[in-house]
Amino acid sequence: MSEPGIRLPGDPPGGRKAVAVWSIGVAVYFVAVIFRTSLGVAGLDAAERFHVSASALSTFSILQLLVYAGMQIPVGLMVDRLGTKRVLTLGVVLFTVGQLAFALAPSYGMALAARALLGCGDAMTFISVLRLGTRWFPARRGPLVAQLAGLIGMGGNLVSTLVLSRMLHGLGWTAAFVGSSLAGVVVLVLLLLFLKDHPEGHEPPPVRQAQGPAFVRRQIAEAWREPGTRLGLWVHFTTQFPMMVFTLLWGMPFLVEAQGLSRAAAGELLTLTVLSSMTIGLVYGQVVARHHAARTPLALGTVTATALAWALTLGYPGESAPTALLVVLCVVLGTCGPASMIGFDFARPANPPERQGTASGIVNMGGFVASMTTLLAVGVLLDATGQNYRIAFCSIFVLEALGVTQILRLRRRAVRLESERLVASRVEAVHVPA
């Protein structure tokens, strides 16, 4: 990454047109997050509609995230090969059809297939938006642009919590989900009419012609070989999943069934989590853009705060935790999303432009694998322990411990290599006209 005032060779110009084009991509991601998190406010309704247990209910989100995680590297390769517009277009079509099919599904099996289709389309959005940002904005804006994309995506979560939940209880299951799917049609039209992969004069280098299995293996291997890519994956793995598990599925049941809150009160706390994430995202983006050395302390500090908040909540001696403690928990969980974005900022400077999509896919896979694992663990433990949420949510600590171990193992080598490359880029940059 460059510092303010230093222009790297080939840096895009940024400006109003960049903001306009990038905004269309972010709007697609915004809608994808609405669809992704829609089950979080409909979990109890889904259990009643399809007559399923806790572990079966978690299968909805697990399958969706399994498809999402499994698609990350293929999508990264697609973005590097086909460009942002084509991949985003396919993604919009898939997640819109998936949301519509979920609205009309007559059975549990059909609903599972719909969530899988939605997860496939959703998987194509965020990596494409990250790639769009690197193509339209200068490198020094990378951390802030990525955080802003994540922040706006969190706005989609807010829409699910505030709008879709009211539609669900006011209009019913089918009308709410069919109505929400229309947002996918709107962003598809904007995407087809106005989005461009890159500004004029900043075309990417020609893609090598050899696109067979050997090329794919080499592309993945070269991205994985970089310590910055692996460090980014483990940062994403460790920081993202506590909030994802809470907002995607288990937050509402935990607050209502384990803590005795009304659905309205639980919805307000979920909203607080999203608002916290949006606020912290702006802070983290500014800090990382100006002080790269703060990346690891921010990530590890977030993990520590999250573990402490969960420990206090789950270990509270009363039958339920006090409201003040639940508020603290939700505010702290809001830091997880912004902290996970730091993972991309480790992978970005470690890989050349033609490998950015692949590297981002590897990083993005981390948090969703952790989320999928925890969603399954919580559902299984709830069924095995007679709905004991305290035991079920202790699975969070196991994955956090694993992730922290890997971050500490990789961080020094990754940062050293990045510093060496930055010095080399500064030498090259002084010969580039401003």
Side-chain angles (χ1 to χ4, degrees), residues 207-225:
V207 178
R208 285 173 284 182
Q209 293 301 312
Q211 296 295 315
F215 169 80
V216 171
R217 287 194 298 270
R218 183 169 59 252
Q219 186 86 337
I220 296 171
E222 289 175 355
W224 180 256
R225 196 175 296 125

Side-chain angles (χ1 to χ4, degrees), residues 59-362:
T59 303
F60 277 124
S61 296
I62 291 167
L63 179 61
Q64 182 180 333
L65 294 185
L66 177 63
V67 173
Y68 187 106
M71 286 290 294
Q72 289 309 292
I73 292 178
V75 167
L77 292 165
M78 288 171 63
V79 171
D80 288 336
R81 177 70 181 91
L82 302 176
T84 300
K85 185 169 185 175
R86 292 178 180 177
V87 177
L88 270 182
T89 300
L90 179 59
V92 173
V93 171
L94 290 176
F95 70 59
T96 302
V97 172
Q99 184 79 341
L100 183 60
F102 190 62
L104 304 175
S107 66
Y108 176 67
M110 292 292 291
L112 278 177
R115 296 308 286 187
L117 189 64
L118 191 156
C120 186
D122 183 16
M124 298 181 181
T125 58
F126 190 63
I127 294 175
S128 298
V129 172
L130 288 178
R131 173 63 171 259
L132 199 65
T134 61
R135 290 298 187 194
W136 281 90
F137 293 96
R140 68 180 182 274
R141 302 296 183 193
L144 183 58
V145 169
Q147 285 286 358
L148 285 173
L151 182 153
I152 296 171
M154 281 296 99
N157 198 333
L158 195 62
V159 170
S160 290
T161 305
L162 295 178
V163 180
L164 187 58
S165 60
R166 286 184 171 86
M167 291 174 60
L168 185 65
H169 297 114
L171 301 176
W173 178 281
T174 302
F177 279 98
V178 169
S180 67
S181 67
L182 296 177
V185 178
V186 173
V187 293
L188 177 61
V189 172
L190 293 174
L191 168 64
L192 292 174
L193 292 178
F194 302 112
L195 191 134
K196 294 183 178 180
D197 283 349
H198 49 76
E200 294 182 9
H202 291 269
E203 292 79 5
V207 178
R208 285 173 284 182
Q209 293 301 312
Q211 296 295 315
F215 169 80
V216 171
R217 287 194 298 270
R218 183 169 59 252
Q219 186 86 337
I220 296 171
E222 289 175 355
W224 180 256
R225 196 175 296 125
E226 291 290 344
T229 304
R230 300 199 302 276
L231 176 59
L233 178 145
W234 284 109
V235 168
H236 200 267
F237 177 101
T238 314
T239 54
Q240 187 205 46
F241 80 93
M243 178 181 174
M244 181 69 71
V245 168
F246 195 76
T247 59
L248 194 62
L249 182 61
W250 290 121
M252 180 70 76
F254 170 75
L255 294 171
V256 173
E257 296 179 351
Q259 300 303 316
L261 300 181
S262 66
R263 287 198 182 195
E268 290 174 359
L269 286 177
L270 290 174
T271 302
L272 177 63
T273 302
V274 177
L275 291 174
S276 171
S277 184
M278 296 174 72
T279 303
I280 296 297
L282 287 175
V283 176
Y284 276 25
Q286 292 285 359
V287 171
V288 172
R290 297 179 182 182
H291 308 285
H292 254 37
R295 290 174 300 175
T296 302
L298 279 177
L300 293 177
T302 299
V303 175
T304 302
T306 304
L308 180 60
W310 269 119
L312 291 173
T313 302
L314 298 177
Y316 191 78
E319 186 174 337
S320 60
T323 302
L325 183 53
L326 294 177
V327 168
V328 171
L329 173 67
C330 291
V331 170
V332 171
L333 286 176
T335 66
C336 293
S340 71
M341 300 300 299
I342 296 172
F344 297 102
D345 201 51
F346 282 112
R348 191 182 301 112
N351 292 273
E354 63 272 15
R355 215 167 55 220
Q356 288 291 324
T358 304
S360 295
I362 292 173

Side-chain angles (χ1 to χ4, degrees), residues 28-38 122 153-157 160:
V28 173
Y29 176 56
F30 175 84
V31 174
V33 173
I34 295 175
F35 293 0
R36 178 200 302 169
T37 59
S38 58
D122 183 16
M154 281 296 99
N157 198 333
S160 290

